[in-house]
Amino acid sequence: MVVVRYGASGKLMDVHRPADAPEPMPAVLLWHGRGPDERDVLAPVARAAAERGVVVLVPDWRPDAPDGGRTHLRESAAFARQHVAEFGGDPERIALAGWSLGGKAAVGVAVNPGAFGDWRPQAVVGIAGAYGSAAPTTGTVPLDDLRVGGDEGPPVPVWLVHGTADAVVDVERSRELFTALTERGRPVLLHEDVTDHAGVIMTEFVPEHARCLPSTADHAVRAGTRTAEVLARAAGIAAHNSGRRL
């Protein structure tokens, strides 16, 4: 893993690379959740995804910034597209993913790419997200964007991951989006696992640290490993995998 700075804001980004994998490799840009500058929280699942043959870029960003973090998210996406080849990644095979608030941010790009510079990632992965309020990437509500249906370009495949024991963001939020995407004939898959909000990324919330830390609990290891597999698969997703639950 290497640490780099990206964009005019100079935020930090971790780059996790597979060992001895052939280049160019598919890549994943992975956004953390609501806590400011918490790229370390995603380290366990990012490492696990890299072990499966993808370059994983995990930037810090600040949802508490005056613009809700949109500048940081835009800068991280621009950096990934412009520099991923320097880390052995393929600029034409970048999946966009996020956990919690980062998941909403990523899905916002999938359903309203015009509000994010018209970038259409290889696929988008929403991990334990809720999609009924404004995404920090677009300023629009993903579910509303789907109902309006203004995007006329090729649909971006969406992969959804959620824990059925999630007490922070109910699994029904992902089921709701899955149904909305399916009804509109858009490529979508949903994977559910018996874990909680933190376990789905191979972590547990530790109150004394006020953040999620790596977990060795069986449910977290199982679910986090499955999330890593979804991230790796999404980087090469085929559009025909539509309307199915994993």
Side-chain angles (χ1 to χ4, degrees), residues 39-110:
R39 73 187 193 282
D40 59 293
V41 168
L42 293 174
V45 73
R47 285 194 296 265
E51 290 171 358
R52 285 156 176 78
V54 295
V55 178
V56 185
L57 302 95
V58 187
D60 274 339
W61 67 287
R62 295 196 67 97
D64 60 350
D67 66 352
R70 187 178 301 183
T71 296
H72 299 149
L73 297 171
R74 284 179 175 269
E75 288 178 352
S76 70
F79 181 91
R81 297 168 70 188
Q82 295 166 8
H83 298 281
V84 71
E86 298 169 16
F87 308 105
D90 183 351
E92 300 301 319
R93 290 187 294 162
I94 303 176
L96 175 62
W99 170 67
S100 196
L101 182 60
K104 181 192 298 183
V107 168
V109 176

Side-chain angles (χ1 to χ4, degrees), residues 121-181:
Q122 175 81 11
V124 159
V125 183
I127 306 165
Y131 308 101
S133 58
T137 41
T138 62
T140 57
V141 178
L143 282 169
D144 289 349
D145 289 334
L146 277 173
R147 296 184 183 110
V148 171
D151 179 31
E152 298 180 355
V156 176
V158 175
W159 297 54
L160 300 172
V161 181
H162 217 120
T164 57
D166 193 329
V168 178
V169 179
D170 195 281
V171 66
E172 289 298 330
R173 303 290 73 78
S174 284
R175 292 171 180 169
E176 180 181 30
L177 180 64
F178 175 84
T179 298
L181 287 163

